[in-house]
Amino acid sequence: MKYKSLHKKSEDMIRGKRAEKEYAKLYMGDSNNVVFPTESEDYKEHWDVSINGVKIDVKAIKKDDENIHFVEFKNVLGKKGWLYGDADGFAFETKDYWIEVKKKDLQNMVHDKCIDKVKGWDFYELSTRPGAKDLFTKVKTIDLCGIGKIKNKK
């Protein structure tokens, strides 16, 4: 299944790992218990850092545009996407802050906004990539702010 080049995939992985470490640093110290998953837990359970037992899936800025984020219903193999993984919540990156969103709140928002939507590339339309079995939608960062909590990067 080839929907992106190895170079692009490598760049995405590096960007994602950087974001995970940057987000976790906000909670290190101050008597917080910060734990990173094993490779298997990361891949199968869809979480990137546990803070005091709360599993968070960290989402880096995509395509240098902090105004959009993507939400995955199904992964490239057609299995459950990260929206239905074991994470308790998500941390969406912007240039100056993180938006922390509870899983159930994000699920409710995208289900409400995607209902009766057709396939396409606009916000809250259902999309897939050629050569992949994924299903995702594009969401507005401002909408995430409405259901989440802002945490400054500094």
Side-chain angles (χ1 to χ4, degrees):
M1 182 161 320
K2 189 168 184 154
Y3 66 93
K4 68 167 87 168
S5 71
L6 287 176
H7 177 71
K8 173 69 174 131
K9 189 172 185 175
S10 176
E11 285 179 346
D12 290 350
M13 292 292 288
I14 291 167
R15 186 177 65 242
K17 290 295 179 192
R18 178 215 36 89
E20 292 165 16
K21 289 177 183 170
E22 184 179 316
Y23 177 74
K25 279 183 191 176
L26 294 174
Y27 287 95
M28 290 182 176
D30 298 332
S31 72
N32 289 309
N33 183 22
V34 177
V35 177
F36 291 95
T38 64
E39 190 174 321
S40 176
E41 289 169 328
D42 186 6
Y43 181 74
K44 292 179 182 174
E45 298 177 12
H46 303 287
W47 62 277
D48 299 312
V49 62
S50 174
I51 301 160
N52 299 326
V54 178
K55 294 177 182 175
I56 303 295
D57 195 353
V58 177
K59 301 298 169 190
I61 292 175
K62 302 291 189 253
K63 302 180 190 273
D64 296 322
D65 187 348
E66 69 175 344
N67 296 308
I68 63 170
H69 285 278
F70 294 91
V71 174
E72 179 187 77
F73 297 103
K74 291 183 182 179
N75 69 16
V76 295
L77 300 175
K79 297 181 179 180
K80 72 177 180 178
W82 57 256
L83 181 61
Y84 307 108
D86 291 349
D88 300 302
F90 307 97
F92 293 92
E93 183 184 27
T94 70
K95 290 178 182 157
D96 298 318
Y97 55 89
W98 293 93
I99 307 164
E100 298 174 325
V101 179
K102 293 177 184 173
K103 178 166 65 174
K104 195 64 177 168
D105 292 342
L106 181 60
Q107 288 173 336
N108 289 339
M109 183 188 86
V110 295
H111 290 162
D112 289 346
K113 289 185 177 283
C114 290
I115 199 163
D116 297 328
K117 290 287 184 172
V118 295
K119 289 202 173 203
W121 290 96
D122 205 358
F123 289 104
Y124 305 106
E125 291 183 342
L126 302 174
S127 304
T128 190
R129 292 172 283 198
K133 297 178 182 176
D134 57 358
L135 183 66
F136 60 92
T137 193
K138 183 168 58 172
V139 302
K140 297 177 183 178
T141 300
I142 193 73
D143 291 342
L144 295 172
C145 291
I147 62 168
K149 180 178 86 173
I150 304 299
K151 181 137 183 101
N152 288 325
K153 283 190 169 181
K154 297 179 181 183

